[in-house]
Amino acid sequence: MRSITHPTDAILNAVRTRRLIAAVGALVAVALPPAASANAVKPFNPQPRETPALARAKAQANRALPPPSRAPAGAAPRTQVAGGLNFPGLVATGNAAWAGFSPPDPTGSIGPDNYIELVNSQIGVYGTDGALLQSDDLQTFLRQNYIEDSGDESGIIQPGTSHDDPGDSIFDVQVQWDEHSQRWLIATDDVEAGGDTHLIFGWSKTADPTQGWCVYRTNAATSFDDFPKLGHNDTFLLIGTNVFQSSDEGSLPLGAHVWAIPKPASGTITTCADRPAITTFSPSAFTPVPVNITDDSATGYVVATPSQASNAIRLYTITGSAGSPAIGGPTTVPVNAWSIPPNVQQPGTANVLDSADGRLTQAVGRKDPQHAGDEAIWTQHTVRSADGQRAEVRWYELDAPAGTKLQEGDVEDSSNSVFNGSVSPAGDGTTAALQYNVGGRFHPVTMRAQTRGSSTQAGLMDDEQTLDSSNAIDDDFTCTRDGGPCRWGDYSGLSPDPSQSDVIWGTNQVNGLVQPDNDPSWITFNFALQPGGPNPAPDTTADGFPFTSASPTPAFNFASSKTGSSFRCGINQLPSAPCVPGGTFGPPLANGTYTFEVAAEDDTAQFDQSPATGTFTIAAALPDTLIDSGPPASGNSRTASFAFHGTKQGSSFQCSLDGSAFATCASPFTTGKLTAAQHAFAVRAVDALGNVDPTPATSSFKVVLAAATGKVSSQRASKKGLVAVRVSCPASRQQTCSGTVRLEIATGRHHTKLGSARIRARFGHTTTLHVKLGRTAFKTLKHRKRLRVKALFRFSSPAKRTTKTFSLSAP
């Protein structure tokens, strides 16, 4: 969007350093009373009433919201300020008289020399250079300009003492520049402490809004005309309302009203006349929105939607002279089907913002030279996204005389909700602008806008710009009141500049610095939009970093400064693969610390050259390993077998024996041939992501070789003096048995050696050995015929000694 050139641009550039909220407060404080104390009452604008069926539809839409995101970390989100006139407006901290009304419901309108901004408790009059010329609280402004009718009660619009008994409560305020009569129009709701309700309306005496107004109100009623919407044609100031039994929030709907009030003739008003005659119509509509006719039109128009999901817009006409207005219609204009949106999520909190309920919120009329010069009506509302999880803004251009749709478009985003929009043509009738809020579970609310020109494809807006960004999430007192959503409001404004044919002015809000005691923290900005100029590349933000995840596939929070962007992500590398905000990306990750990068690409293929980055840590539960079975603490087996398992399904295993490096293994695991010694076994699980059990399961065991056994196989020596003995070597030993056998005379005090032999027996076999008696021993045996003999077996590995005593006979 191209900048509007003003001689005071240098001054305005300084003003645009609006992060210094105190500076903005100083501007507003020029004409405001001193700030209220910290304990002042926080006034509360009741949420616009809904039919029971609409409330049920809204509750159903909210059930589709995904879980809240991680809280953003680090500094406030980056801000992109669009070219053109973009200056601070009214702020909650400047609203001293009512200590911060919430929501602000900001709106505004541009005239030849002034821009007027209204919020629910203040009015600000600015020059077209953005300088604040005058501001006041609305109670004072309306009371000072009120024209009391005969018999009407006096002392209206007195501030109350609490938001539950607020005296006269002024809210849902609106203002419009009337090009036909060259004066300003105003309207608002008024609820008295006793329950009586009024509509307040009026007009400025001249084109200069600082030179006095004529303000009136309707007769007191117990029924309640809620959500007043202001519009006009050449003859009438028009107000559309939803009607309820009373101002109690639980009261039942009665229908709708359109109020037709004759406007004064063009020219300066020196003395305000008595309140004009008021005609009330009761159309079959929900939230009738009179059209702000910004050129000459003898016909007034009113647009409305059904109270629930639909595929049509209803169009009414207001015709007739000042004394005899008439309503015509409705004409049903087919549009694409829409349904009630869910509320708007915020990062790091379960508190959601009220996204409204599908009702139209404003409408602007201007003759469109591209369509036979017919009066074209531009209007919009917030509807449900295709996946049901977000809100988006739907806008329309209607051919008013023909009762047909010329075009419609949607502004939606894959990572955020788009809501609280307004749309308007410019003075040339072909240029148009759309502005709105964008926010969600990955991004605090921003204020954005797009424009279109005569050559723009039907149904599209171009060159989105971010006008300002919130400093924090909304967390004021309305977030916990009555269990409802945080009140963001459902007003913003756009209107064509009467002096520049392709310029459109607007007002919207973001959230400022968090205030003590949950006081409101909204801030507003007024801006001028113009087609053309540079189309900046998107800026990508990655929120909620750094973080630690127990899941190997965490979700990532990121968003773009431009709605409709697509994204590419990378982990420990440049962004290269498509990804979706709030979703997982890439394969499961092992435990460790990683760097995530993401870059947005807008719908014109512009790529963010400075990807957003963030670090994160995967700390999934580590596998644990358990040994199910193994060898005894001590045994003769030369091999050992272990069975084991891990606590995480799909794990693999690594084993180590006697301190060797861990190597891949499986259960059961059997060792090779072991030495006779003490041994140690360890096993650890490795999960599917490569995470290793830091405390392997261990087992200690000892291998002891089975000992050989010996016996005398013959008790009679051979003729050659040989004595047969047998040695058995166990198969489990898996090693040759060795040792000696010695024969001695078992009687007497001396161990007389008879003979000996070496033992060598193969494992698993029994071997017969022959011990040869010595010559003397053999002679002795022959002489005595029989000797008492002891066979002494000595084995090694392990050392073992056994003795067998027997009677040895001579041959």
Side-chain angles (χ1 to χ4, degrees):
M1 298 165 196
R2 191 164 61 251
S3 300
I4 302 173
T5 303
H6 290 274
T8 55
D9 275 350
I11 299 174
L12 292 175
N13 286 334
V15 174
R16 292 183 193 117
T17 60
R18 55 197 174 284
R19 291 293 176 218
L20 300 175
I21 302 302
V24 179
L27 281 175
V28 177
V30 170
L32 288 179
S37 68
N39 296 321
V41 171
K42 302 181 184 76
F44 182 72
N45 180 18
Q47 187 168 350
R49 274 52 166 185
E50 299 172 330
T51 64
L54 182 57
R56 290 192 296 270
K58 186 71 173 180
Q60 182 178 7
N62 285 328
R63 287 195 284 271
L65 291 174
S69 70
R70 294 181 297 273
R78 287 168 281 183
T79 301
Q80 298 181 75
V81 178
L85 192 61
N86 186 20
F87 57 94
L90 303 173
V91 297
T93 53
N95 187 13
W98 283 58
F101 209 109
S102 186
D105 286 339
T107 188
S109 189
I110 182 66
D113 301 305
N114 300 103
Y115 187 80
I116 296 181
E117 180 191 2
L118 292 178
V119 295
N120 271 329
S121 56
Q122 290 176 267
I123 180 171
V125 178
Y126 300 84
T128 53
D129 60 357
L132 180 64
L133 305 178
Q134 182 178 352
S135 68
D136 212 337
D137 67 88
L138 275 172
Q139 290 77 19
T140 300
F141 168 79
L142 295 173
R143 188 167 60 248
Q144 289 175 346
N145 292 286
Y146 176 62
I147 306 303
E148 184 176 348
D149 287 332
S150 175
D152 194 9
E153 59 266 57
S154 61
I156 70 160
I157 318 169
Q158 298 296 328
T161 57
S162 80
H163 50 244
D164 292 318
D165 183 20
D168 279 27
S169 180
I170 307 300
F171 55 92
D172 289 354
V173 292
Q174 292 170 85
V175 64
Q176 290 174 4
W177 167 253
D178 181 4
E179 182 71 11
H180 178 74
S181 66
Q182 293 289 295
R183 68 179 78 254
W184 299 87
L185 308 177
I186 194 169
T188 182
D189 235 330
D190 174 26
V191 178
E192 293 189 84
D196 286 345
T197 67
H198 307 262
L199 290 176
I200 295 175
F201 62 91
W203 35 75
S204 63
K205 294 181 177 180
T206 69
D208 185 345
T210 66
Q211 297 303 307
W213 292 65
C214 299
V215 174
Y216 309 89
R217 69 176 181 176
T218 60
N219 291 333
T222 55
S223 61
F224 176 46
D225 283 85
D226 186 38
F227 205 65
K229 306 304 294 184
L230 175 63
H232 64 277
N233 67 338
D234 289 356
T235 307
F236 299 103
L237 180 153
L238 301 171
I239 303 175
T241 62
N242 290 323
V243 188
F244 290 81
Q245 287 178 327
S246 72
S247 60
D248 294 337
E249 292 189 34
S251 64
L252 295 177
L254 300 178
H257 282 160
V258 172
W259 305 72
I261 304 163
K263 300 186 305 182
S266 302
T268 299
I269 297 175
T270 55
T271 302
C272 295
D274 287 342
R275 185 184 67 188
I278 301 172
T279 303
T280 306
F281 302 104
S282 298
S284 177
F286 177 72
T287 312
V289 180
V291 177
N292 172 15
I293 301 294
T294 59
D295 48 19
D296 290 329
S297 176
T299 302
Y301 296 94
V302 178
V303 291
T305 63
S307 63
Q308 297 187 56
S310 178
N311 58 357
I313 290 178
R314 294 173 182 172
L315 176 64
Y316 300 83
T317 58
I318 303 294
T319 57
S321 62
S324 57
I327 189 168
T331 298
T332 299
V333 183
V335 297
N336 289 342
W338 56 269
S339 58
I340 307 303
N343 284 322
V344 180
Q345 294 182 278
Q346 299 188 91
T349 178
N351 287 339
V352 295
L353 303 174
D354 185 11
S355 67
D357 49 25
R359 68 183 76 193
L360 301 176
T361 58
Q362 55 88 236
V364 180
R366 191 83 181 182
K367 292 180 176 61
D368 187 343
Q370 291 185 316
H371 294 92
D374 285 349
E375 195 75 31
I377 298 172
W378 297 74
T379 187
Q380 91 301 312
H381 55 162
T382 302
V383 300
R384 189 175 185 174
S385 63
D387 65 5
Q389 295 186 349
R390 286 173 297 280
E392 64 181 46
V393 167
R394 169 84 60 81
W395 60 271
Y396 311 92
E397 183 188 14
L398 311 178
D399 186 323
T404 59
K405 179 184 74 175
L406 297 175
Q407 60 177 323
E408 71 174 85
D410 294 273
V411 180
E412 58 85 25
D413 189 67
S414 62
S415 57
N416 290 303
S417 283
V418 185
F419 63 107
N420 193 37
S422 55
V423 65
S424 174
D428 59 16
T430 59
T431 301
L434 176 73
Q435 60 108 350
Y436 41 84
N437 289 125
V438 178
R441 61 189 182 123
F442 309 129
H443 210 291
V445 175
T446 60
M447 186 170 64
R448 304 183 189 180
Q450 299 182 55
T451 59
R452 58 172 286 115
S454 59
S455 62
T456 305
Q457 182 179 341
L460 295 181
M461 295 277 176
D462 295 327
D463 299 340
E464 184 179 69
Q465 300 283 350
T466 296
L467 302 173
D468 203 77
S469 299
S470 293
N471 294 97
I473 64 169
D474 187 23
D475 193 25
D476 70 18
F477 73 100
T478 67
C479 298
T480 55
R481 182 183 170 95
D482 302 329
C486 305
R487 290 302 318 284
W488 189 258
D490 31 37
Y491 285 74
S492 61
L494 278 178
S495 57
D497 190 320
S499 303
Q500 301 183 76
S501 64
D502 62 345
V503 175
I504 302 164
W505 289 64
T507 295
N508 208 331
Q509 70 183 89
V510 289
N511 215 54
L513 299 173
V514 174
Q515 299 299 309
D517 301 321
N518 301 114
D519 284 346
S521 56
W522 48 263
I523 56 178
T524 68
F525 288 89
N526 305 309
F527 46 86
L529 306 173
Q530 189 176 28
N535 179 26
D539 184 31
T540 319
T541 55
D543 291 326
F545 292 88
F547 67 87
T548 299
S549 172
S551 169
T553 54
F556 296 101
N557 300 353
F558 50 89
S560 171
S561 63
K562 303 183 77 171
T563 58
S565 294
S566 59
F567 298 89
R568 289 186 171 271
C569 296
I571 296 177
N572 289 347
Q573 61 182 357
L574 292 176
S576 58
C579 51
V580 179
T584 61
F585 174 75
L589 299 172
N591 286 1
T593 299
Y594 301 85
T595 298
F596 175 77
E597 295 195 35
V598 56
E601 183 179 9
D602 68 15
D603 56 6
T604 62
Q606 292 189 106
F607 194 73
D608 184 358
Q609 298 299 319
S610 300
T613 64
T615 60
F616 65 98
T617 300
I618 300 297
L622 295 173
D624 193 19
T625 318
L626 301 174
I627 295 176
D628 302 315
S629 63
S634 180
N636 300 135
S637 175
R638 294 293 301 277
T639 61
S641 183
F642 296 88
F644 42 82
H645 73 279
T647 56
K648 296 182 74 173
Q649 188 174 5
S651 293
S652 59
F653 299 90
Q654 296 175 344
C655 297
S656 169
L657 183 66
D658 295 334
S660 63
F662 279 94
T664 300
C665 60
S667 178
F669 171 78
T670 302
T671 68
K673 186 176 180 179
L674 299 172
T675 61
Q678 190 74 30
H679 295 277
F681 172 75
V683 58
R684 65 189 185 188
V686 182
D687 68 18
L689 302 176
N691 297 315
V692 179
D693 180 358
T695 56
T698 60
S699 175
S700 178
F701 62 99
K702 187 175 184 180
V703 174
V704 179
L705 297 180
T709 58
K711 67 178 181 177
V712 178
S713 58
S714 173
Q715 297 185 8
R716 183 182 298 278
S718 70
K719 292 180 180 181
K720 294 183 178 182
L722 300 175
V723 178
V725 297
R726 301 187 70 184
V727 175
S728 296
C729 189
S732 62
R733 180 183 174 94
Q734 298 185 9
Q735 181 175 313
T736 300
C737 295
S738 60
T740 61
V741 58
R742 173 188 171 98
L743 300 181
E744 299 177 348
I745 296 176
T747 59
R749 297 178 62 183
H750 300 287
H751 302 289
T752 303
K753 178 181 177 181
L754 299 177
S756 63
R758 286 187 172 279
I759 298 173
R760 188 168 181 81
R762 187 179 176 190
F763 63 89
H765 292 79
T766 298
T767 302
T768 300
L769 304 175
H770 292 88
V771 179
K772 184 174 179 61
L773 299 177
R775 183 180 299 176
T776 301
F778 193 38
K779 285 182 179 181
T780 301
L781 176 60
K782 287 180 178 180
H783 175 73
R784 295 186 181 184
K785 303 299 183 183
R786 186 182 296 275
L787 291 173
R788 189 71 175 167
V789 177
K790 179 171 62 175
L792 182 62
F793 295 88
R794 288 188 175 94
F795 298 102
S796 60
S797 300
K800 184 179 180 182
R801 179 177 176 175
T802 59
T803 302
K804 304 291 185 181
T805 302
F806 62 97
S807 293
L808 178 63
S809 301

